[in-house]
Each structure stands twice: as structure tokens, then as C-alpha cells.
Amino acid sequence: IPPRSNSNNDNGQQTPKTQLSHTPSVRKKGVKDFEFGKTLGEGSYSTVVAARDRSNNREYAVKILDKKHIIKEKKVKYVNIEKNTLNKMNHPGIVRLYYTFQDPDSLYFVLDHAKNGELLTFIKKLGSFDMDCTKFYAAQILSAIEYMHSQGVIHRDLKPENILLDDKMHVKVTDFGTAKILEQNADGEEDDRANSFVGTAEYVSPELLKEKAACKSSDFWALGCIIYQLIAGRPPFKGANEYRTFQKIVNLEYSFPDGFPTVARDLVQKLLVLNPSERLGSGGKAGVERLKAHSFFQGIDWDTLWQQPAPNLL
Ligand SMILES: Nc1ncnc2c1ncn2[C@@H]1O[C@H](COP(=O)(O)OP(=O)(O)OP(=O)(O)O)[C@@H](O)[C@H]1O
Ligand SMILES: O=C(O)C[C@H](Cc1nc2cc(Cl)cc(Cl)c2[nH]1)c1ccc(Cl)cc1
């Protein structure tokens, strides 16, 4: 007799043993399929734990969310956005979602385990990156942004904490709970403005602060802030509090430290532009090609970028 499929429904309750017309080949994974290890980190609504799939010894990072907490904090929408967005993504620079499942108390995202943690940790440890490292990481982040935009997704909260590094020290962008999937309107045009969500103060774009609407170009603003930070060791806009930071952003109040490389300065000045449609990178595919052609990226081979070894950071 063929083995029974796991007749547990999503929340792990036993459903009556109905005779299936066929035994599905792929069984839904559940908690029992994994051996959980050390905690990798905590979020406001989540705990991320290292786990090994018992059937093939593969290692993952499992993001566990408490259902009661999610409901109480009204985060159900964000969790479902994270699931739906990650499910659309298939790119080496974006953390991969393998499975989702739930049990009576929790929701589970089974993700790539980015073994080297957050890019922010390395910025803090090194103070700043040399130009080779800055170019490599900026290029990998741009490659991931280009891909997610091609899938109609705006990240909206790009920052060094959300840029993880895998065991090859390659970029893995994460945290899509606040991403925006742009709807295809009637004539297949992408509605290009997403509404009402504010990211992390230092990386928020001026259009989000002024018109409450982010667009793909908002991710290029964040890229400008990240490139500045990789070189200067701190983000360009940082006030004593969030309000002061927002003021600096909308007034474009920032300056370059002495010794900031000229070619990097030129690129940052073309990304940190108040008007999103004048920002380098905006204007669809052609805009991104113009950004990738900037002399800052000289020497980057975009076609083999993900096969190259990461430059030595230390
Ligand atoms: N795929 C992963 N691989 C390795 N570490 C991860 C992974 N995802 C998250 N982490 C680590 O776990 C911690 C918690 O991540 P999580 O996404 O749950 O919350 P967060 O986004 O950091 O916090 P918040 O939800 O408040 O924004 C993070 O600090 C991150 O360093
Ligand atoms: O798409 C699915 O499979 C269905 C569910 C949808 C879903 N069921 C939920 C139950 C609760 Cl209590 C909270 C949230 Cl956010 C919930 N989201 C689901 C299950 C697991 C995960 Cl990680 C996300 C969404």
C-alpha cells in the first residue's frame, strides 16, 4: 500500500483520514522534519533559529513567529507580504524561502542560512571598506535591487542590517515584510507608487517623507546611503533624533568627509537626489543600465558577478 501522505493540515491538526485519490509525491514539511540548533537572532515579532533538515542534513535559518503576538501587533499583513514576496524571488542575492508551515502556536519560514550575518557588523568592525570591497558589495546589492524591481517588488527598507552575508561572503538581501508588490493595472502598466510605509530613518527617501509614497527609485536612494556608509563608516543623514534625521534628508543636508574618493562621491551625488525621477537608476531598464555604467563600477563584470570570489574584507 503506498505510504500515506501526511494528513496533517496546515495547523498540524489531524484531519480525518480521507483516502486520497493519489499519494502526493512532495509532503508538506513540518516542525518534526527539522532539528533546531542555536538562535541566530531575535526580531520584534520573530526568532530566527538555525535548523537542519533531518532527511538531507541541509542547514537552514528558520524564522519563527508567534501567532498570538503577530495578531496582537496587527502584523498579519506584513507576514503574508513577506511570504508572498519571497515566494516570487529566485536570485543569488536574495535570501531564498524554501518552505512555510505552521503549527497551533507559530508560523515558520524556512530560509537560506546566511552564515556571516549582517553587513552592518562588518562596517562596524572595519570602520570602512576599501574601494574594491565597496564596489563589489555595491554591485551585488544593485544586482539584487535590479532583479526585485524586474519582479515588480520594491524593498523599501534596504539598510546594512537587512543585507546579510553567506558563507562565501556574498550578499543575501532579506526582510521583505515591508516590501511592496507593484500591481499590474489594466493596461499592464506598473502602478509605480506604493503608499504609506516608512522604513528606517537614516535610509528613508525624501519622497516617502514628503508624499508618503515610495517608488523603485527609493531603493536607489537607500543604495546611495549604503555606499556612502561603506566608505565613511556612517550613514550620510544622522540627526540627534528621527525628526532631525528626516529634516536633513528633505533638505539634502549632508557632506563628504575628507578623502572620500572622487568617483564614489560623484556616484553618491547622483543617487542622493531629492527628485526621484532625476535619480541615477530611475527610468526603467535603461536607467539601471546607466547606473551600472557609472565609472564607480569600472572593472565590475556584471555577468559573472555572482560566480566571483568576494574580495578579502580584512
Ligand atoms: N536568513 C538568515 N540567516 C542568518 N541570520 C538571519 C537570517 N534572517 C535573520 N537573521 C538574523 O536574525 C535576526 C532577526 O531577524 P528577523 O528578520 O527575525 O528580525 P529583524 O528583521 O532583524 O527585526 P525586526 O523584525 O524588528 O525588523 C537578525 O538580526 C538577523 O541578523
Ligand atoms: O500562505 C499560507 O500558507 C497560509 C498562511 C497564511 C497565514 N495564516 C496565518 C495565521 C496567523 Cl495566526 C497569522 C498569520 Cl500572519 C497567518 N498567515 C501562512 C502560513 C505560514 C506562513 Cl510562514 C505564512 C503564511
Side-chain angles (χ1 to χ4, degrees):
I1 297 172
R4 269 200 177 293
S5 74
N6 163 356
S7 63
N8 289 0
N9 59 25
D10 242 355
N11 31 36
Q13 270 104 27
Q14 288 290 337
T15 46
K17 299 247 182 236
T18 46
Q19 184 51 44
L20 288 160
S21 54
H22 70 284
T23 306
S25 55
V26 182
R27 186 173 56 79
K28 185 140 177 98
K29 295 273 188 189
V31 182
K32 292 185 302 305
D33 294 300
F34 298 89
E35 180 188 2
F36 289 87
K38 71 179 172 90
T39 295
L40 297 170
E42 312 270 349
S44 326
Y45 316 98
S46 48
T47 302
V48 180
V49 184
R52 190 177 54 79
D53 182 334
R54 297 179 196 281
S55 69
N56 57 20
N57 281 336
R58 284 191 188 152
E59 296 192 335
Y60 297 100
V62 182
K63 181 166 173 172
I64 307 170
L65 301 104
D66 177 82
K67 285 182 175 177
K68 286 194 194 66
H69 190 46
I70 291 287
I71 292 171
K72 186 161 58 65
E73 300 293 316
K74 299 188 178 24
K75 293 294 171 191
V76 172
K77 185 168 70 87
Y78 290 107
V79 174
N80 292 332
I81 288 173
E82 180 154 34
K83 175 180 176 181
N84 298 336
T85 336
L86 279 175
N87 268 338
K88 284 166 69 102
M89 301 284 117
N90 175 19
H91 185 272
I94 295 171
V95 83
R96 185 165 162 198
L97 174 63
Y98 295 87
Y99 319 103
T100 58
F101 49 83
Q102 54 182 297
D103 64 19
D105 305 321
S106 308
L107 299 169
Y108 300 82
F109 287 91
V110 181
L111 302 156
D112 276 325
H113 178 181
K115 298 235 168 170
N116 280 298
E118 300 176 2
L119 176 62
L120 181 67
T121 311
F122 290 88
I123 298 175
K124 286 182 173 169
K125 196 188 304 182
L126 301 177
S128 80
F129 286 20
D130 67 27
M131 276 303 272
D132 269 356
C133 296
T134 304
K135 269 161 65 168
F136 177 82
Y137 285 105
Q140 288 214 327
I141 297 165
L142 175 51
S143 172
I145 293 173
E146 178 184 31
Y147 171 79
M148 57 179 99
H149 287 181
S150 74
Q151 302 301 306
V153 170
I154 312 175
H155 188 284
R156 300 200 294 182
D157 196 15
L158 284 171
K159 54 182 177 177
E161 294 95 311
N162 287 342
I163 295 164
L164 304 181
L165 297 164
D166 66 11
D167 50 347
K168 293 179 301 189
M169 286 299 279
H170 278 199
V171 156
K172 288 273 182 212
V173 175
T174 188
D175 230 343
F176 283 78
T178 47
K180 177 72 188 170
I181 303 180
L182 294 172
E183 271 75 40
Q184 297 278 339
N185 55 33
D187 45 358
E189 281 295 299
E190 236 163 31
D191 133 26
D192 64 356
R193 304 295 271 198
N195 41 26
S196 85
F197 156 73
V198 178
T200 306
E202 288 78 7
Y203 306 89
V204 163
S205 61
E207 62 272 12
L208 198 52
L209 293 172
K210 286 191 278 198
E211 293 131 49
K212 282 249 160 295
C215 52
K216 288 179 176 177
S217 198
S218 308
D219 286 339
F220 295 127
W221 173 277
L223 177 64
C225 294
I226 294 166
I227 292 172
Y228 178 102
Q229 182 171 0
L230 289 174
I231 297 170
R234 60 174 172 81
F237 306 102
K238 181 86 184 124
N241 57 49
E242 277 206 353
Y243 181 77
R244 290 265 174 273
T245 301
F246 293 159
Q247 266 188 320
K248 289 175 182 278
I249 291 167
V250 296
N251 296 318
L252 205 60
E253 220 179 288
Y254 79 103
S255 60
F256 293 98
D258 292 345
F260 200 96
T262 314
V263 74
R265 183 189 185 114
D266 184 73
L267 174 59
V268 169
Q269 281 172 331
K270 287 169 178 162
L271 290 169
L272 301 185
V273 168
L274 291 179
N275 180 338
S277 50
E278 288 165 18
R279 216 167 280 157
L280 189 55
S282 69
K285 283 192 179 50
V288 177
E289 285 313 314
R290 262 199 311 278
L291 170 48
K292 291 162 80 171
H294 189 281
S295 50
F296 169 83
F297 291 113
Q298 180 151 41
I300 292 288
D301 178 347
W302 296 97
D303 301 324
T304 61
L305 179 60
W306 294 96
Q307 286 79 41
Q308 292 163 24
N312 203 326
L313 268 185
L314 304 164

